[in-house]
Amino acid sequence: MQINSPGYCFVSLYQSYPSYHGASDITYNFFNSWPNKNKKLFQITNSKIKKKKIFNISNKFSFLGTLYNLFLITYHIKKYFNKYHKKVLIIEGASWAGYIYFLTNLCKIFIKDVIIIYHAHNLEYEVRKLKNNFFISYITFFLEKHIYKNYIGTCVSAKDYNFILKNYGTKPILFENGVINFKKEPVLNKKLNKKKFILFCGSYSYWPNKIAIDTIIKQRKIFENIYPNIKFVFTGEGINNFKYKNFLNLGIVKKTNLVWLIKNCFLFYAPMPKAPGTKLKIIEAIYHGAKVICSKHALVGIKNIKNMKSIIITSENKLKYNLNQIKKIKKKKNKIKDLKMFRKHYDLNKKTINFYEKINKLL
């Protein structure tokens, strides 16, 4: 017997729970915020941790293994949808467009009347253009274009919206990244004192983060000359232990611990290179009231920051000057109304409810 209310299926071709990087956060928080209880998340992971409404499929580290998993995911999605009259499949976009293309086609073949939503975390073409060779980026462009033209697609910024409209010939739904207001729990580490450390969050395996972390290591003496006792704290997977005494690698931390770190750091420093999408780590840092010093690339696509006194845009040439300025103006804070406006705009629960209502009008 089929249920008349829709069933919602989320798919991530990477581990979303337990969360361990930005894409995980976006997917897991989005899934958690989805207001309908008829939902299930299928994820590729080697984690043995189980959670209600989340189905784990073991990662297979090869191209053929990935293709096998795409067939396996399709089978489980079909099985899940058997009891629902209306079927809504939400595919998370932090994976190569080729795999998304293959999965969407499998689902259209084997699952009758399925509605497919492509939840983009950024423009995959932009990722491949900066990361891979011309051939891969060229193929990605046409695969991503096919996905946007044939299914309901989202984007995270006005910049991406205009690119899709101009180059893919279709209108996506603007669905920006957002933040869930977690409580804070202290990080129990004797080496950490409030307001005595500089923080960077991000997995070393993601190339923009790698560049940022390498840049911080390179620039460490500029910081140390101005703030001799400062520590550098890093979170995220894939970071090796540092040889410097004032560098601390915490690895993957719970979101509640991360919120404590953001709220209690002296500076959130993010010398990000040019990279696609909006930066969730920057949104979180501003949302939780940290003083942020970053490159102009770190702020691309982020709204409601014009009057933010806690944000300083820097570069390699201006870093020393800006750090000295921070020393002078360290007591300046954002106006409460500006921070409230920012938090209201980037409230993920509200964004998800609005998106949910928009999608259900299309059913």
Side-chain angles (χ1 to χ4, degrees):
M1 181 180 175
Q2 287 190 320
I3 300 172
N4 287 328
S5 60
Y8 301 90
C9 180
F10 293 70
V11 174
S12 65
L13 303 180
Y14 48 87
Q15 179 178 303
S16 296
Y17 177 83
S19 175
Y20 71 105
H21 55 45
S24 297
D25 273 353
I26 290 169
T27 296
Y28 182 62
N29 292 339
F30 177 44
F31 173 73
N32 259 354
S33 300
W34 196 256
N36 195 300
K37 293 181 180 179
N38 299 334
K39 61 181 179 180
K40 194 161 189 174
L41 170 63
F42 294 86
Q43 66 171 356
I44 304 270
T45 177
N46 284 328
S47 173
K48 303 300 181 185
I49 299 173
K50 295 182 179 180
K51 190 173 179 67
K52 189 179 179 181
K53 293 185 179 292
I54 297 179
F55 188 89
N56 295 337
I57 294 173
S58 297
N59 194 8
K60 297 169 183 64
F61 296 97
S62 69
F63 176 74
L64 290 177
T66 300
L67 292 181
Y68 171 80
N69 272 346
L70 294 178
F71 278 101
L72 190 60
I73 288 171
T74 304
Y75 167 77
H76 286 293
I77 293 170
K78 180 178 172 62
K79 188 177 177 182
Y80 170 73
F81 275 146
N82 279 340
K83 61 181 177 179
Y84 294 103
H85 178 66
K86 293 180 180 178
K87 312 169 185 70
V88 181
L89 173 61
I90 301 168
I91 301 177
E92 295 295 298
S95 300
W96 182 47
Y99 295 135
I100 305 295
Y101 172 84
F102 192 68
L103 178 60
T104 54
N105 278 281
L106 283 175
C107 290
K108 289 297 286 186
I109 291 168
F110 293 108
I111 305 171
K112 186 180 178 182
D113 299 326
V114 63
I115 295 169
I116 297 177
I117 299 169
Y118 175 61
H119 176 212
H121 294 199
N122 46 49
L123 281 172
E124 187 64 18
Y125 167 66
E126 292 288 336
V127 174
R128 300 300 160 180
K129 188 173 68 172
L130 293 169
K131 181 181 179 182
N132 298 104
N133 58 39
F134 172 79
F135 179 69
I136 295 295
S137 61
Y138 183 78
I139 291 175
T140 301
F141 177 89
F142 287 100
L143 293 175
E144 190 169 52
K145 182 176 181 179
H146 172 89
I147 293 165
Y148 272 105
K149 287 186 77 72
N150 288 277
Y151 309 108
I152 300 168
T154 73
C155 62
V156 295
S157 69
K159 177 176 172 286
D160 288 0
Y161 181 95
N162 291 329
F163 179 93
I164 294 163
L165 186 62
K166 180 181 177 180
N167 295 281
Y168 295 164
T170 187
K171 289 183 179 181
I173 297 173
L174 181 59
F175 182 52
E176 299 167 300
N177 289 330
V179 176
I180 289 179
N181 194 13
F182 287 88
K183 65 178 181 178
K184 61 176 181 178
E185 291 181 326
V187 175
L188 301 176
N189 191 303
K190 293 180 181 179
K191 296 179 181 180
L192 274 181
N193 293 312
K194 291 181 179 181
K195 304 301 177 183
K196 299 293 184 182
F197 62 92
I198 292 163
L199 179 65
F200 178 83
C201 309
S203 298
Y204 197 68
S205 56
Y206 182 48
W207 62 271
N209 292 337
K210 180 183 185 302
I211 292 172
I213 292 168
D214 291 345
T215 300
I216 294 170
I217 294 170
K218 179 184 172 185
Q219 296 173 339
R220 70 188 186 280
K221 289 186 178 179
I222 298 174
F223 285 88
E224 290 166 352
N225 287 337
I226 300 170
Y227 302 103
N229 299 315
I230 205 75
K231 289 190 178 295
F232 296 82
V233 175
F234 299 83
T235 70
E237 58 92 26
I239 305 172
N240 294 324
N241 289 326
F242 296 104
K243 61 181 179 181
Y244 310 107
K245 290 183 179 179
N246 58 337
F247 276 56
L248 184 61
N249 172 23
L250 297 180
I252 299 168
V253 300
K254 292 191 304 181
K255 180 60 73 172
T256 50
N257 294 140
L258 183 61
V259 171
W260 184 90
L261 289 167
I262 292 171
K263 284 178 175 288
N264 290 286
C265 68
F266 172 66
L267 279 180
F268 190 101
Y269 181 44
M272 305 299 294
K274 184 178 180 181
T278 55
K279 310 297 177 288
L280 181 62
K281 61 173 68 65
I282 306 299
I283 295 172
E284 287 181 317
I286 299 169
Y287 186 98
H288 292 299
K291 194 178 296 172
V292 177
I293 181 168
C294 61
S295 64
K296 63 179 181 180
H297 301 302
L299 297 170
V300 171
I302 300 177
K303 298 177 181 177
N304 297 325
I305 57 173
K306 186 178 179 180
N307 298 319
M308 289 285 185
K309 294 179 181 179
S310 65
I311 302 172
I312 295 177
I313 299 173
T314 194
S315 63
E316 191 168 355
N317 295 330
K318 293 182 179 179
L319 180 61
K320 185 177 178 181
Y321 169 80
N322 286 327
L323 289 175
N324 280 310
Q325 287 298 106
I326 289 169
K327 206 169 188 179
K328 295 174 185 176
I329 62 170
K330 61 183 178 181
K331 292 184 179 180
K332 283 193 175 184
K333 293 183 179 181
N334 296 318
K335 290 181 180 178
I336 293 174
K337 66 175 184 179
D338 292 328
L339 191 55
K340 280 185 176 179
M341 187 182 298
F342 184 87
R343 286 173 174 168
K344 183 179 179 181
H345 183 82
Y346 286 102
D347 185 324
L348 182 61
N349 285 314
K350 291 179 181 177
K351 282 184 178 295
T352 304
I353 290 169
N354 291 336
F355 181 70
Y356 171 81
E357 291 172 350
K358 191 175 291 185
I359 290 301
N360 279 279
K361 288 179 182 177
L362 301 176
L363 298 182

